[in-house]
Amino acid sequence: MIARDAQGGVVLVNVLVVLAIAGGLMLLLVSSQEAAFDRVARAADAAVVEQIAMGAEASVVDALRRDLNEAPETDHLAEPWAQGVIQDEVSLPTGRFSVQVTDLQAKFDINQMAEPSAGLLDFLRRLLLALDQPPETANQISRIMGAVGQIARLDDLSTFGVAPETLAAMAPHVTALPIAGTVNLNTVDPLLLQVMLQNRSHAAQLIRTRESRGFLTLDDLRSVGAQRPQNSGFTSNAYRVDILAEAGTAAIEMQTILTRRNARGVQAVDILERRFTYDTPVTPSN
């Protein structure tokens, strides 16, 4: 009787082991299927956010191209083309979404120092003084760029010995444009405008006019007794577009550099650079 009980116990254990193995295999199969489904879902979400970002970029390109025909004489972010594509962050059924456009010609183009004039050199000295930086750095930058030519980014000057703190102070007001261009008075910041005009009162009056109406004209400068500064204008052909798109478990932040051409009968918007600055699954909120 005892032997039979032991034998029955062994059989029971074997049955339980078999059941456990079968259950484990079933769980593994279900888990594998769920993992596969998750991978497919994540890939689908990633494809959706990429298409949303690309579609938003195409809308900006199209708007900038239309603007060359509709209003080529002035550019500012209160124009219909800009208002039609700029979107502050909103929540959509897919997730968050935003489109921001930055006028790159709102800053002084340091690449002009590759072939500097006396006026440009004097302007850079005055800007450095306004930023509490050594004005002699203007001569240093002029020598560097005279030797190496144009640069891709302002920070590239650190390689040639320009102090990091000076470059950090310059960064809000100075850039390295991918194309030749003047500073757009419709988007330039107040400090840079003041340095350009060499008159704080004129700059303040023009900023008030621009804030109330959205843009400036040559008549506005004349009305305050100011002349249009060297290296300034009212148009822009270089922009940065920052797009955020989110869907399901995927999110993407895409940054694009766009330039326009409007010469010799050729009107075009070119994509110079596109990079994804953020592409990580996000945890959906409960």
Side-chain angles (χ1 to χ4, degrees):
M1 177 70 71
I2 295 175
R4 284 199 299 272
D5 289 343
Q7 185 177 5
V10 171
V11 171
L12 179 60
V13 169
N14 288 338
V15 170
L16 292 176
V17 169
V18 170
L19 289 175
I21 292 173
L25 289 174
M26 182 62 68
L27 180 61
L28 179 62
L29 179 61
V30 171
S31 299
S32 298
Q33 288 179 333
E34 289 179 349
F37 288 146
D38 287 343
R39 286 195 297 272
V40 171
R42 286 196 299 270
D45 288 341
V48 169
V49 294
E50 184 173 337
Q51 289 303 310
I52 292 173
M54 290 298 205
E57 178 192 81
S59 296
V60 177
V61 169
D62 184 61
L64 283 168
R65 187 183 294 113
R66 287 199 315 272
D67 183 63
L68 289 175
N69 288 318
E70 296 172 358
E73 69 285 347
T74 186
D75 291 304
H76 52 86
L77 299 182
E79 284 189 282
W81 75 263
Q83 293 301 303
V85 295
I86 292 176
Q87 175 63 63
D88 291 333
E89 187 174 310
V90 294
S91 294
L92 301 177
T94 57
R96 295 180 300 155
F97 175 71
S98 67
V99 180
Q100 297 299 323
V101 179
T102 302
D103 182 355
L104 296 181
Q105 289 182 229
K107 300 181 180 183
F108 171 69
D109 180 17
I110 198 66
N111 279 327
Q112 293 189 74
M113 298 304 296
E115 297 180 2
S117 64
L120 285 173
L121 193 57
D122 180 62
F123 165 76
L124 188 54
R125 289 194 192 101
R126 288 188 281 109
L127 177 59
L128 289 166
L129 278 172
L131 297 173
D132 296 322
Q133 298 300 314
E136 59 270 18
T137 304
N139 295 326
Q140 179 189 10
I141 292 173
S142 179
R143 288 194 300 270
I144 292 169
M145 301 199 64
V148 304
Q150 297 189 354
I151 56 177
R153 290 178 173 80
L154 180 64
D155 285 345
D156 291 348
L157 290 174
S158 63
T159 306
F160 303 99
V162 179
E165 58 270 23
T166 297
L167 294 175
M170 293 170 63
H173 317 284
V174 180
T175 189
L177 287 179
I179 59 173
T182 57
V183 177
N184 189 344
L185 298 177
N186 288 320
T187 53
V188 64
D189 69 79
L191 185 143
L192 188 55
L193 180 60
Q194 180 181 317
V195 174
M196 294 172 72
L197 293 173
Q198 301 184 65
N199 188 301
R200 179 175 299 181
S201 175
H202 289 169
Q205 292 179 69
L206 291 170
I207 290 296
R208 285 195 295 270
T209 298
R210 193 177 73 184
E211 288 176 346
S212 64
R213 194 175 61 203
F215 63 95
L216 294 173
T217 66
L218 192 55
D219 287 339
D220 293 325
L221 271 68
R222 292 171 178 157
S223 69
V224 300
Q227 293 184 338
R228 194 176 89 178
Q230 179 187 10
N231 187 42
S232 71
F234 300 96
T235 61
S236 294
N237 286 312
Y239 296 89
R240 187 185 76 229
V241 183
D242 292 281
I243 298 167
L244 164 67
E246 189 178 276
T249 60
I252 195 170
E253 288 185 12
M254 188 173 79
Q255 186 177 98
T256 306
I257 304 299
L258 302 175
T259 60
R260 295 192 299 185
R261 290 176 287 141
N262 188 19
R264 299 187 182 92
V266 176
Q267 294 182 336
V269 178
D270 302 311
I271 297 174
L272 291 193
E273 179 183 339
R274 181 193 292 129
R275 55 194 183 101
F276 302 102
T277 57
Y278 178 78
D279 188 5
T280 304
V282 296
T283 302
S285 58
N286 295 327

